[in-house]
């Protein structure tokens, strides 16, 4: 009986120990699932939606220049005037809702992942440029894998009804987001929703570079002053995005073409988004338009993305600070 009692006691002790959370595991989970990370995610999503809504016509012009290779107009104002003249006054805002929905989800995922991992890794210490770059890449990979289907659908909806000069483009007829998902899966298979994933994974360096520069600028400024001004956030966001966009623009062009997925190109290879297709599209672009063809639409992209990023970071910083202030919480994010 004594032996049985001892065995029972051991089992009870093991059960009690197993039921108690490990301190390190609990701390890690609290870092990942935290109110602070949620505030950053919501602020980032709201900031991106606000900025994209303001500068949406510029994104429309950029996308037309990237996808419609035979369009003669080369500048952003000329393309916008052409679109309004041929397709109506509201045409520059075509596809606004699916883009905003995708952007909101995408930035929520990115900001939440970035700030959760940063809290977990930095643990109250000062961050570094290298850490910011690694965190940006990881957050970007998570974001791409989760949200690419939304971007494929919104790219097609945004270009639906457009008057193209390129006869290689096959027109679409979707009634909305749900119908677009249904038709793509039915006609092209579920994997078509991840068209452009490969260049998108390569492009995780875009937001990673952007955040690396932004966080670096921010750390330097906060050594000299207690908080960021609106101008600080706007300028830092603009410069960081300009550098990131210029470095990665050729891949962004390929990404847009693959997401659109309506070109009659490379018919022997249906696995869109593979390295073979990326290289094929880059070679075709250079063959048709020269090296500068890789940067067609860069002016529109820089104008749109720099202003959008600048306004996004401005709204993000102000909304985050205001939320922490209203809730009476200290902003503990390491700089």
């Amino acid at each position: 009986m004594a032996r049985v009692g001892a065995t029972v006691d051991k089992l009870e002790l093991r059960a009690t120990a197993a039921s108690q959370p490990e301190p390190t595991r609990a701390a890690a989970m609290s870092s990942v699932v935290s109110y602070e990370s949620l505030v950053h995610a919501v602020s980032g999503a709201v900031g991106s939606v606000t900025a994209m809504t303001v500068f949406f016509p510029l994104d429309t012009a950029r996308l037309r220049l990237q996808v419609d290779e035979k369009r003669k107009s080369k500048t952003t104002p000329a393309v916008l005037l052409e679109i309004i003249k041929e397709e109506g006054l509201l045409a520059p805002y075509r596809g606004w809702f699916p883009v905003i929905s995708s952007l909101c989800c995408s930035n929520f995922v990115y900001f939440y992942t970035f700030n959760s991992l940063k809290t977990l890794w930095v643990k109250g210490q000062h961050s570094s440029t290298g850490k910011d770059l690694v965190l940006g890449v990881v957050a970007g990979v998570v974001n791409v894998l989760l949200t690419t289907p939304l971007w494929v659908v919104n790219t097609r909806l945004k270009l639906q009804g457009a008057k193209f000069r390129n006869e290689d483009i096959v027109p679409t007829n979707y009634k909305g987001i749900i119908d677009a998902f249904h038709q793509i899966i039915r006609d092209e298979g579920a994997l078509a929703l991840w068209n452009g994933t490969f260049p998108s994974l390569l492009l995780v360096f875009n937001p990673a570079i952007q955040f690396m520069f932004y966080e670096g600028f921010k750390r330097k400024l906060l050594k000299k002053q207690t908080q960021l001004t609106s101008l600080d956030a706007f300028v830092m966001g603009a410069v960081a995005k300009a550098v990131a966009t210029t470095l990665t623009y050729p891949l962004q062009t390929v990404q847009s073409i693959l997401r659109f997925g309506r070109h009659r190109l490379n018919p022997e290879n249906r696995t869109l988004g593979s390295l073979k297709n990326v290289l094929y599209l880059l070679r075709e672009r250079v063959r048709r338009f020269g090296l500068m063809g890789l940067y067609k639409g860069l002016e529109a992209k820089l104008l749109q993305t720099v202003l959008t990023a600048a306004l996004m970071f401005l709204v993000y910083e102000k909304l985050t600070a205001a939320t922490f202030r209203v809730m009476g919480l200290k902003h503990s994010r390491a700089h």
Side-chain angles (χ1 to χ4, degrees):
M1 289 296 291
R3 185 177 296 175
V4 173
T7 303
V8 170
D9 290 340
K10 287 180 181 178
L11 290 173
E12 287 177 349
L13 284 170
R14 287 177 183 173
T16 304
S19 65
Q20 292 177 348
E22 298 177 16
T24 54
R25 187 179 299 174
M29 284 302 296
S30 65
S31 297
V32 174
V33 186
S34 68
Y35 179 76
E36 184 175 342
S37 295
L38 185 62
V39 170
H40 283 295
V42 172
S43 299
V46 172
S48 62
V49 167
T50 303
M52 179 57 85
T53 300
V54 173
F55 299 115
F56 194 80
L58 298 178
D59 190 58
T60 299
R62 181 270 310 173
L63 192 56
R64 295 293 181 91
L65 285 167
Q66 284 183 324
V67 173
D68 193 2
E69 298 163 345
K70 296 187 178 180
R71 184 176 289 275
K72 293 181 180 179
S73 297
K74 305 296 182 184
T75 65
T76 303
V79 171
L80 284 174
L81 287 173
E82 207 171 60
I83 292 171
I84 292 171
K85 182 179 178 181
E86 295 178 357
E87 303 170 34
L89 189 61
L90 296 179
Y93 274 91
R94 180 185 289 120
W96 173 85
F97 181 74
V99 170
I100 291 301
S101 303
S102 302
L103 191 67
C104 185
C105 294
S106 182
N107 275 278
F108 183 91
V109 170
Y110 191 92
F111 275 85
Y112 193 93
T113 305
F114 183 88
N115 286 283
S116 296
L117 294 177
K118 187 166 188 175
T119 303
L120 184 62
W121 190 5
V122 175
K123 294 179 181 176
Q125 301 174 359
H126 288 286
S127 187
S128 66
T129 301
K131 287 182 179 179
D132 288 335
L133 183 62
V134 172
L135 290 170
V137 169
V138 174
V141 170
V142 172
N143 179 38
V144 165
L145 295 177
L146 290 178
T147 64
T148 290
L150 288 171
W151 287 110
V152 168
V153 167
N154 90 55
T155 299
R156 297 195 184 190
L157 287 171
K158 191 172 182 180
L159 291 171
Q160 184 168 274
K163 297 183 183 299
F164 294 111
R165 273 66 170 173
N166 190 350
E167 62 273 9
D168 288 329
I169 295 176
V170 183
T172 60
N173 185 26
Y174 304 130
K175 297 176 183 177
I177 296 176
I178 303 300
D179 184 55
F181 272 108
H182 174 71
Q183 286 196 43
I184 292 170
I185 293 172
R186 183 193 65 196
D187 299 337
E188 304 169 48
L191 287 179
L193 291 171
W194 275 269
N195 278 354
T197 297
F198 186 80
S200 295
L201 286 173
L202 295 179
L203 278 169
V204 299
F205 283 100
N206 182 294
I209 292 170
Q210 174 187 346
F211 268 73
M212 179 184 73
F213 275 94
Y214 183 82
E215 294 290 325
F217 292 149
K218 187 174 176 180
R219 277 192 296 274
K220 287 185 179 298
L221 269 180
L222 289 176
K223 289 178 180 177
K224 303 175 182 178
Q225 56 196 60
T226 56
Q227 60 182 12
L228 296 177
T229 66
S230 298
L231 183 61
D232 290 335
F234 191 89
V235 172
M236 289 191 309
V239 173
K241 192 61 177 180
V243 174
T245 299
T246 303
L247 291 174
T248 59
Y249 188 75
L251 280 173
Q252 292 185 51
T253 299
V254 171
Q255 179 193 55
S256 294
I257 293 171
L258 288 172
R259 280 176 173 173
F260 186 41
R262 309 307 293 176
H263 284 68
R264 298 187 181 96
L265 293 175
N266 209 15
E268 72 278 3
N269 188 355
R270 294 293 297 167
T271 313
L272 291 176
S274 67
L275 177 60
K276 184 176 180 181
N277 271 278
V278 171
L279 295 176
Y280 171 83
L281 288 168
L282 287 172
R283 284 198 308 270
E284 282 295 294
R285 198 83 173 180
V286 173
R287 186 181 64 82
R288 292 182 179 186
F289 308 105
L291 282 175
M292 292 309 296
L294 295 175
Y295 287 90
K296 186 180 180 185
L298 177 61
E299 175 215 356
K301 180 64 176 177
L302 277 176
L303 188 60
Q304 175 261 324
T305 198
V306 167
L307 291 175
T308 300
L311 183 56
M312 179 198 74
F313 276 113
L314 171 58
V315 175
Y316 162 70
E317 292 289 353
K318 293 302 178 183
L319 188 57
T320 301
T323 303
F324 281 114
R325 189 164 55 249
V326 168
M327 299 303 294
L329 297 174
K330 184 181 178 181
H331 188 183
S332 60
R333 180 183 175 185
H335 297 291

